[in-house]
Amino acid sequence: MYKIQTPYEKNTLIIKSLHSKINSNHSMKNLIFISCFILFLGCNLSIPENEKLSDIESLQLKTSFVDLKNKKVDLRSYEGKKIIINYWATWCGPCIKEMPRIKRAQQILKNYNYIFLLVSDEKVSKISTFKNDKKYDFNFLKSVRSNETLGIYSLPTSYIFNEKGIKIETIVGTIVWDSEIIINKLKTL
């Protein structure tokens, strides 16, 4: 009977074969070759060449997000929705000033398939205290990585993603989220 080997079993056999070669010949060349070969195998098994990641999936690989209960949030769960990610901080005056307008825009766009996520890299407890003090009911998330490691050097910074997870707009600084111009633009994206 013919047994189909899994990629893991094939790699194990290759590694065992290479390991026996190391034992028989301890040259540095073989060790370097084997290390490079194993590294190549590991890299080759990750993402198929024909599978391109969306911008939202790439962001998800750079950092992870948790909600205010420290539960991990997978941004891919919002697939099929337009996503606005607004990076902010509790100490950022302009961020706080634009929140009422973000809230109004969120209400106006509720029938246009938008989800608003307000992301901070501060501690969950600090974000929760802010939420309770200000009485905001946004989808607050904490980024596990710092804003700087994600290339965000100015707050607020917002990214708009289409239903396929492709970033279609970057906004650095505050805008009037509930203005007629912005609402009409968001409705047509």
Side-chain angles (χ1 to χ4, degrees):
M1 188 159 117
Y2 183 75
K3 182 180 183 243
I4 298 174
Q5 289 182 322
T6 67
Y8 175 78
E9 290 170 328
K10 286 179 185 176
N11 290 342
T12 302
L13 288 174
I14 292 169
I15 291 169
K16 284 180 181 178
S17 169
L18 293 173
H19 184 65
S20 67
K21 287 182 182 179
I22 290 175
N23 287 338
S24 65
N25 184 358
H26 290 289
S27 73
M28 186 56 92
K29 282 184 180 179
N30 284 343
L31 184 60
I32 291 171
F33 170 76
I34 291 167
S35 298
C36 291
F37 185 73
I38 291 171
L39 180 64
F40 173 75
L41 280 177
C43 292
N44 199 23
L45 294 175
S46 57
I47 300 169
E49 287 181 34
N50 61 351
E51 185 178 327
K52 186 174 177 177
L53 295 176
S54 71
D55 295 325
I56 208 81
E57 290 169 323
S58 294
L59 177 60
Q60 189 75 50
L61 291 175
K62 292 178 189 174
T63 188
S64 56
F65 300 91
V66 295
D67 63 18
L68 298 185
K69 295 177 182 171
N70 270 320
K71 183 181 172 196
K72 191 171 181 177
V73 174
D74 186 347
L75 297 182
R76 293 172 295 190
S77 67
Y78 299 113
E79 187 176 333
K81 293 193 174 288
K82 298 174 190 172
I83 303 170
I84 296 177
I85 297 180
N86 176 267
Y87 288 91
W88 70 286
T90 59
W91 50 263
C92 172
C95 301
I96 297 166
K97 186 177 179 183
E98 77 173 355
M99 284 186 180
R101 293 183 176 275
I102 292 173
K103 187 65 185 163
R104 282 194 288 281
Q106 183 177 5
Q107 291 167 345
I108 293 168
L109 295 168
K110 67 182 174 188
N111 295 326
Y112 287 86
N113 204 27
Y114 274 96
I115 183 84
F116 285 73
L117 304 172
L118 277 70
V119 177
S120 175
D121 61 358
E122 297 173 283
K123 292 181 179 181
V124 169
S125 60
K126 189 161 189 104
I127 301 168
S128 293
T129 299
F130 174 86
K131 176 185 177 181
N132 294 334
D133 289 349
K134 300 291 184 181
K135 308 285 188 253
Y136 284 123
D137 64 345
F138 290 116
N139 289 315
F140 286 108
L141 300 178
K142 181 208 180 331
S143 173
V144 176
R145 308 263 330 257
S146 73
N147 290 337
E148 291 80 13
T149 62
L150 299 174
I152 299 165
Y153 302 103
S154 180
L155 294 177
T157 293
S158 300
Y159 297 131
I160 303 172
F161 299 88
N162 68 15
E163 296 94 335
K164 295 179 182 176
I166 307 301
K167 183 169 41 171
I168 54 174
E169 192 78 40
T170 298
I171 302 165
V172 178
T174 60
I175 64 168
V176 183
W177 284 96
D178 60 343
S179 71
E180 187 176 342
I181 292 171
I182 298 299
I183 293 297
N184 286 337
K185 182 176 181 176
L186 291 172
K187 284 179 178 179
T188 60
L189 292 178

